[in-house]
Amino acid sequence: MSAQYDALINTPFGAIAISAHGSQLAIELLTDSPSPQNQTTSHPQVAKAYTQITQYLERSLKRFDVAYPPGGTAYQQKVWQAIASIPFGETRTYGQLARMIGSGPRAVANACGANMLPVVIPCHRVVAQNGLGGFMQSKEDGLRVKKWLLAHEGIDISRYE
């Protein structure tokens, strides 16, 4: 496992890497796994995220309660709170979130791109008005990961294609 990750969970799309930097938790979605085995740590914050993400992947957890210290700007935190309120198996458009918080869709999209806790703060549930929208800051295969996460939650992704 890479020294930059404290835990790794293999998934059908690649892997979910979890790390702690001081008191800040970070999650990275990888389109390829750097290890054939899941790996965890005794770090309490990382271990809790690992357990909850594993439960999410098994469909036995639908809402996370991983504590994470506030990072980002006040605006980003406001967007992330709105994203975290989207229920499992549902989506919202960038425009719907923007109206909810009194902002614009592009600003919401930018805050989505700055999300350091994907899956826990489920930015994959935010879609464009006419399509999937972006994901993983346009990294290669990012939309494949978004499609997998949405399908995992029972969302018919064909309506976005």
Side-chain angles (χ1 to χ4, degrees):
M1 180 166 68
S2 171
Q4 63 187 354
Y5 308 126
D6 296 309
L8 184 76
I9 303 168
N10 285 297
T11 69
F13 63 76
I16 298 174
I18 309 166
S19 58
H21 307 283
S23 63
Q24 181 65 50
L25 190 64
I27 295 171
E28 187 175 353
L29 304 178
L30 308 172
T31 57
D32 292 307
S33 180
S35 171
Q37 296 154 285
N38 288 353
Q39 299 180 5
T40 191
T41 178
S42 60
H43 185 287
Q45 197 175 13
V46 173
K48 184 172 184 178
Y50 178 95
T51 298
Q52 289 192 13
I53 291 169
T54 301
Q55 291 170 338
Y56 165 82
L57 293 169
E58 295 167 349
R59 290 191 178 100
S60 63
L61 180 106
K62 296 191 182 340
R63 186 162 185 86
F64 292 91
D65 70 353
V66 172
Y68 51 93
T73 66
Y75 176 78
Q76 288 170 334
Q77 290 176 32
K78 188 175 185 179
V79 172
W80 298 337
Q81 288 173 355
I83 292 169
S85 74
I86 303 170
F88 181 95
E90 295 183 23
T91 60
R92 300 291 183 272
T93 65
Y94 296 102
Q96 287 172 319
L97 284 178
R99 284 188 294 280
M100 191 165 74
I101 64 170
S103 182
R106 281 198 182 158
V108 168
N110 288 336
C112 284
N115 177 12
M116 296 295 290
L117 297 173
V119 179
V120 171
I121 298 174
C123 52
H124 61 277
R125 296 179 190 154
V126 184
V127 297
Q129 185 173 339
N130 296 308
L132 280 174
F135 194 62
M136 292 175 54
Q137 298 178 325
S138 300
K139 289 181 185 165
E140 187 176 342
D141 285 335
L143 286 181
R144 179 178 60 84
V145 174
K146 183 173 188 168
K147 287 177 183 180
W148 188 92
L149 290 167
L150 291 172
H152 172 73
E153 295 186 16
I155 296 169
D156 178 9
I157 60 170
S158 68
R159 68 184 200 203
Y160 299 108
E161 299 180 312

